[in-house]
């Protein structure tokens, strides 16, 4: 609602008219240029560094997965929209974003049907069945990813990331387990006693390992191989105000605090802290998945709570569960409590809260 000021009346003219009030239904947009299509285009542009990094590590496999999932999501969006009697909604770009994020969350060796089925579930079940864009409760790409991980466990498990010795056409980076799986397996093995002299000369932190995690030359899902690419995409989204800074800060900050405390308890250098920050899908999830404006809280305080909950759940799953990664489950679990977070953090209106009727 806005009030237009009237010019001062001239002498002898009619008395000034009453202020003109323009009333419009919500939502009241502060920036009308922030359209859905522009936001989706910003996300796609922010994904470019991640896509380039995945292509550099996984080569042709990354291009195939990303193209297949984007085309499948747009095709299913058009099909389900026609079934519901709606217009062609693929022009808003949200289906393309869902396909790109779903593809970047898959292993390089996932068969074609994994991407297609994941796209079908993401668009048909997680998005359109709730009413389409803006109505879905859960992140569509993560719902599709969760379904194919359960339905096709044989091609989505830890072995899917490591190329067998007989496969000579696989990328060099996939000859070893992912960093998260490798550390998980190392933690399960009994400690090996080392000679005091060897322990004294061993560096506290393997900085070459940390550099590879940061710049991106390690195994993993297509989108989680480079922390630097995720940070570059985050900077772009924050500058464009397409993503809220509270969610990535809450998620990464909480994970950093928990990993830091674990690092202090174990002693040595900051390798464990950096491993949890730069390894796996923490940064990819914090920048591109948890910041989905439809499935995240509305208020700044709620966004901080949402991000902190995601970070805490990620560390809980990484440390105490049998699964080496936890971003997907953490985001989906926090999606389910977003209505409650919105209710907790709704601002008090001017004049105090509305009186409760007896």
């Amino acid at each position: 609602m806005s009030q237009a000021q009237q010019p001062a009346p001239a002498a002898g003219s009619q008395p000034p008219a009453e202020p003109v009030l323009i009333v419009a239904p919500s939502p009241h947009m502060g920036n009308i240029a922030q359209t859905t299509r522009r936001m989706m285009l910003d996300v796609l542009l922010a994904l470019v560094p991640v896509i380039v990094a995945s292509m550099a590590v996984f080569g042709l496999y990354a291009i195939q997965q990303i193209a297949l999932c984007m085309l499948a999501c747009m095709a299913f969006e058009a099909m389900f929209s026609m079934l519901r009697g709606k217009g062609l909604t693929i022009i808003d770009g949200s289906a393309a974003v869902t396909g790109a994020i779903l593809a970047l969350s898959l292993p390089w060796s996932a068969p074609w049907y994994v991407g297609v089925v994941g796209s079908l579930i993401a668009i048909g079940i997680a998005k359109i069945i709730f009413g389409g864009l803006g109505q879905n409760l859960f992140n569509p790409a993560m719902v599709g990813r969760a379904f194919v991980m359960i339905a096709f466990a044989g091609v989505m498990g830890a072995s899917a990331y490591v190329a067998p010795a007989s496969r000579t056409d696989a990328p060099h980076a996939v000859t070893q387990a992912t960093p998260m799986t490798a550390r998980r397996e190392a933690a399960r093995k009994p400690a090996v006693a080392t000679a005091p002299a060897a322990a004294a000369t061993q560096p506290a932190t393997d900085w070459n390992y940390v550099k590879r995690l940061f710049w991106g030359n390690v195994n993993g899902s297509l989108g989680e191989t480079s922390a630097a690419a995720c940070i570059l995409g985050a900077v772009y989204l924050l500058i464009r105000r397409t993503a809220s800074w509270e969610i990535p800060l809450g998620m990464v900050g909480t994970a950093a605090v928990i990993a830091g405390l674990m690092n202090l308890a174990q002693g040595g250098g900051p390798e464990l802290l950096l491993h949890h920050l730069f390894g796996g899908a923490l940064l990819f999830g914090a920048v591109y998945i948890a910041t989905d404006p439809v499935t995240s809280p509305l208020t700044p305080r709620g966004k901080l709570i949402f991000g902190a909950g995601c970070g805490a759940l990620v560390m809980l799953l990484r440390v105490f569960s049998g699964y080496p990664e936890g971003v997907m489950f953490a985001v989906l679990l926090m999606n389910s409590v977003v209505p409650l977070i919105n209710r907790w953090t709704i601002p008090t209106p001017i004049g105090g809260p509305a009186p409760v009727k007896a």
Side-chain angles (χ1 to χ4, degrees):
M1 182 171 65
S2 62
Q3 176 175 334
Q5 295 183 348
Q6 301 298 315
S13 62
Q14 296 295 327
E18 294 295 328
V20 178
L21 300 179
I22 302 174
V23 180
S26 61
H28 304 287
M29 300 293 292
N31 182 8
I32 59 175
Q34 192 80 336
T35 62
T36 300
R37 189 184 302 177
R38 202 204 93 174
M39 292 177 67
M40 296 300 118
L41 179 60
D42 281 342
V43 176
L44 289 175
L45 291 175
L47 282 170
V48 169
V50 179
I51 294 174
V52 171
S54 66
M55 291 168 57
V57 176
F58 301 104
L60 185 61
Y61 298 99
I63 303 173
Q64 292 173 343
Q65 291 281 18
I66 296 169
L68 176 64
C69 289
M70 291 180 70
L71 291 175
C73 280
M74 288 190 288
F76 287 127
E77 174 96 5
M79 183 183 75
F80 284 108
S81 296
M82 285 190 294
L83 290 176
R84 289 178 56 87
K86 292 189 173 182
L88 195 62
T89 56
I90 61 172
I91 57 176
D92 62 19
S94 60
V97 170
T98 299
I101 293 177
L102 172 63
L104 291 167
S105 69
L106 297 177
W108 65 278
S109 64
W112 66 269
Y113 55 84
V114 170
V116 173
V117 173
S119 301
L120 172 64
I121 300 299
I123 299 297
I125 303 299
K127 182 179 177 184
I128 300 296
I129 200 172
F130 285 93
L133 181 65
Q135 307 297 320
N136 50 293
L137 179 60
F138 297 96
N139 186 291
M142 291 299 98
V143 173
R145 213 274 184 188
F147 180 84
V148 296
M149 196 186 80
I150 296 173
F152 308 107
V155 295
M156 290 291 292
S159 60
Y161 294 87
V162 184
S166 59
R167 190 161 182 174
T168 57
D169 61 334
H172 174 70
V174 300
T175 56
Q176 297 179 346
T178 66
M180 309 310 291
T181 302
R183 183 171 286 273
R184 159 81 50 183
E185 294 301 320
R188 289 176 176 173
K189 295 178 180 178
V192 178
T194 57
T201 57
Q202 186 177 5
T205 301
D206 185 351
W207 290 109
N208 289 329
Y209 168 73
V210 174
K211 288 179 181 177
R212 288 194 294 117
L213 283 180
F214 182 78
W215 293 113
N217 187 23
V218 294
N219 199 357
S221 297
L222 298 182
E224 67 184 43
T225 186
S226 172
C230 293
I231 294 172
L232 193 59
V235 171
Y236 176 79
L237 288 178
L238 294 178
I239 290 175
R240 296 284 291 173
R241 292 189 170 184
T242 301
S244 303
W245 60 269
E246 292 93 346
I247 295 177
L249 177 65
M251 187 169 176
V252 177
T254 303
V257 169
I258 297 174
L261 293 175
M262 293 169 53
N263 210 140
L264 289 174
Q266 295 186 8
E271 184 173 312
L272 181 61
L273 168 63
L274 298 176
H275 164 81
H276 281 292
L277 288 183
F278 298 154
L282 177 67
L283 291 179
F284 181 72
V287 175
Y288 300 104
I289 301 174
T291 53
D292 177 15
V294 176
T295 57
S296 59
L298 299 173
T299 62
R301 194 156 53 96
K303 291 174 182 177
L304 270 176
I305 296 173
F306 177 82
C310 288
L313 286 174
V314 167
M315 293 305 299
L316 178 69
L317 293 169
R318 283 183 176 182
V319 175
F320 294 106
S321 76
Y323 190 58
E325 183 58 87
V327 172
M328 177 185 68
F329 295 113
V331 172
L332 290 177
L333 287 171
M334 290 305 297
N335 285 161
S336 66
V337 296
V338 164
L340 188 59
I341 296 176
N342 282 333
R343 177 171 295 186
W344 286 342
T345 60
I346 187 171
T348 303
I350 299 175
V356 179
K357 295 182 179 179

